[in-house]
Amino acid sequence: MSSHPPIPTRVVLLSGPSGSGKSSFAARSGLPVLCLDDFYKETGDPTLPLVPGTSDIDWDSPLSWDAEAALAAIGALCAKGRTSVPVYDIASSSRVGEETLDIERTPLFVAEGIFAADIVERCRELGVLADALCLRGRPSTTFRRRLLRDLKEGRKSVPFLLRRGWRLMRTERSIVARHVALGAHACGKEEALGRVAAAAAGRCVKARAA
């Protein structure tokens, strides 16, 4: 009896503005999830960018994120089904531990985070991209959801959260446009669920080339 080659593991990259519902959507998908926000750089890193004209660290800039480490984790999951990932504490802006993510033989997983679109092309070049999605909604709804979440979790000081929140609400449409330009497909949650289901069934709607 001839054996069939193993089904290659691929990734759905899930981006979108902070507060757009990426984490809840990823959990709803039923697939293993790699949280890309755990690859933020730590306070004290000299390469961390600042918001122009302020002393605030710009945590919404891809320069605040370790793309190479995130790509290495995705590559390991696709090749071996497991990898070590950092445990990141947003309130202290530091890595507080490490854990093993094991997806076993699952042929599809979700990697979600605000910088997911920044690695669409790299994942395509590696041959592991199933789809790339950007969740979008009403900026006012995103603002409210983000602020309530961040206050509940004590992520940063209230003045910082308000400054960041207003800035992100004003620029949300341009954030989505940037993710689309990087190769992600902008859509609501129901369409995104349909595309994830298609990818899981091997009927992937290819993310367009940038």
Side-chain angles (χ1 to χ4, degrees):
M1 181 181 296
S2 62
S3 60
H4 296 285
I7 299 173
T9 297
R10 296 182 300 169
V11 62
V12 173
L13 294 175
L14 180 64
S15 68
S18 175
S20 58
K22 296 179 295 298
S23 297
S24 60
F25 175 88
R28 183 181 173 190
S29 75
L31 296 171
V33 178
L34 173 65
C35 179
L36 296 176
D37 287 353
D38 283 329
F39 295 92
Y40 267 117
K41 297 176 183 178
E42 298 184 90
T43 294
D45 189 316
T47 65
L48 282 171
L50 298 179
V51 177
T54 76
S55 60
D56 290 341
I57 294 174
D58 188 356
W59 296 108
D60 299 290
S61 165
L63 296 176
S64 67
W65 184 65
D66 191 343
E68 295 303 321
L71 280 165
I74 289 172
L77 287 173
C78 290
K80 299 180 292 184
R82 61 185 295 157
T83 189
S84 294
V85 296
V87 177
Y88 194 89
D89 178 57
I90 292 180
S92 63
S93 304
S94 63
R95 296 181 180 183
V96 296
E98 189 176 89
E99 62 184 14
T100 298
L101 177 60
D102 191 340
I103 66 172
E104 299 179 341
R105 297 181 181 275
T106 307
L108 192 70
F109 68 98
V110 174
E112 64 91 6
I114 64 173
F115 304 121
D118 287 84
I119 55 174
V120 169
E121 189 58 32
R122 296 284 295 280
C123 286
R124 182 183 289 109
E125 291 170 355
L126 291 172
V128 299
L129 182 66
D131 206 350
L133 307 172
C134 172
L135 292 185
R136 66 178 176 189
R138 293 178 180 272
S140 58
T141 301
T142 305
F143 170 84
R144 183 169 59 254
R145 183 189 296 123
R146 176 176 55 242
L147 183 60
L148 290 174
R149 176 202 66 192
D150 291 351
L151 289 172
K152 180 181 179 181
E153 298 179 6
R155 291 192 169 194
K156 302 292 179 186
S157 70
V158 174
F160 177 92
L161 294 176
L162 289 173
R163 290 194 301 270
R164 177 177 182 252
W166 285 115
R167 184 175 71 251
L168 291 179
M169 186 172 71
R170 292 194 302 269
T171 59
E172 181 161 326
R173 288 186 174 84
S174 64
I175 291 171
V176 171
R178 177 178 178 274
H179 291 186
V180 170
L182 289 168
H185 173 75
C187 58
K189 293 181 181 179
E190 294 308 313
E191 182 182 353
L193 280 172
R195 289 178 69 107
V196 170
R203 304 189 307 273
C204 175
V205 181
K206 291 289 186 180
R208 69 172 180 81

